[in-house]
Amino acid sequence: MTTTPVDPLTMRRTMGRFATGVAVVTTEEADGVPHGMTVNSLTSVSLDPPLLLVCLTTGARTTRAVTGAGRFAVSILSARQEQLALRFARRGEDHFAGLPVARGRHRVPVVPDAYAHLECEVERQFTAGDHVVVIGHVRDVCERDGEPLGFLGGRFSDVTERGRPVAHWFC
Ligand SMILES: Cc1cc2nc3c(=O)[nH]c(=O)nc-3n(C[C@H](O)[C@H](O)[C@H](O)COP(=O)(O)O)c2cc1C
């Protein structure tokens, strides 16, 4: 097969055509310092056992904290949480500065009032290119009513459900 080299910007632009939600991966260091990072690489891996994966850029503080702590949470953001998505995407900042640290049932830091959150233990991790693929075993979930935040073409977007909206609140 003849291949044309695909540069990072092309890769990002083309993959940006795959519409996703927006989530924040959170964890804390042994001394209790919380960390978080906006992601859209979230994927469900397995239903039984319940596994998900996120791809975290190597060298980010949150990546180091997740691999060190061995546990993390994924908060799926609601349509109203665009500012939080931007906050947790700023490199090198104290992302939790001025924010109350909410915790899930397993005491992992989570983003308050998210559309849903899942608390995980790290099941497996491996480096792939410039990211660390982290597979998490989901230990608890919480879902809220509302609308999710979307991401398409490098911008935040609305996600509307076709048909009857499913109303639920499971925590
Ligand atoms: C919508 C959106 C999705 C993102 N998805 C990812 C992702 O899946 N993996 C990743 O490593 N970085 C992703 N980023 C970039 C990180 O959020 C950013 O580099 C991170 O906040 C840096 O964290 P640090 O301060 O811990 O280094 C995304 C940013 C945005 C705005």
Side-chain angles (χ1 to χ4, degrees), residues 77-114:
L77 297 187
S78 77
R80 296 178 176 184
Q81 294 181 310
E82 187 176 324
Q83 290 308 316
L84 283 174
L86 292 172
R87 165 193 273 257
F88 282 97
R90 279 186 211 114
R91 275 202 162 237
E93 287 201 12
D94 176 2
H95 295 127
F96 273 96
L99 263 193
V101 181
R103 288 177 190 277
R105 264 194 286 261
H106 291 259
R107 310 301 302 150
V108 184
V110 295
V111 171
D113 302 322

Side-chain angles (χ1 to χ4, degrees), residues 14-163:
T14 308
M15 287 305 296
R17 291 176 173 239
F18 188 60
T20 67
V22 182
V24 175
V25 168
T26 47
T27 192
E28 70 182 352
E29 294 179 18
D31 57 5
V33 176
H35 289 282
M37 157 182 201
T38 302
V39 302
N40 69 337
S41 56
L42 172 65
T43 303
S44 172
V45 172
S46 163
L47 300 180
D48 187 12
L51 303 175
L52 58 73
L53 76 72
V54 286
C55 303
L56 307 178
T57 187
T58 50
R61 292 165 309 166
T62 307
T63 310
R64 285 194 295 271
V66 166
T67 56
R71 60 187 200 146
F72 62 99
V74 176
S75 297
I76 299 172
L77 297 187
S78 77
R80 296 178 176 184
Q81 294 181 310
E82 187 176 324
Q83 290 308 316
L84 283 174
L86 292 172
R87 165 193 273 257
F88 282 97
R90 279 186 211 114
R91 275 202 162 237
E93 287 201 12
D94 176 2
H95 295 127
F96 273 96
L99 263 193
V101 181
R103 288 177 190 277
R105 264 194 286 261
H106 291 259
R107 310 301 302 150
V108 184
V110 295
V111 171
D113 302 322
Y115 187 52
H117 71 242
L118 307 97
E119 289 178 88
C120 307
E121 278 170 31
V122 174
E123 172 101 2
R124 262 182 78 187
Q125 62 190 53
F126 55 92
T127 301
D130 54 12
H131 280 61
V132 179
V133 180
V134 179
I135 296 179
H137 192 137
V138 180
R139 296 302 184 187
D140 194 40
V141 302
C142 170
E143 299 170 68
R144 290 193 177 80
D145 288 337
E147 301 283 338
L149 181 62
F151 194 66
L152 175 64
R155 292 165 192 231
F156 296 113
S157 67
D158 293 324
V159 179
T160 55
E161 294 177 27
R162 286 188 177 171

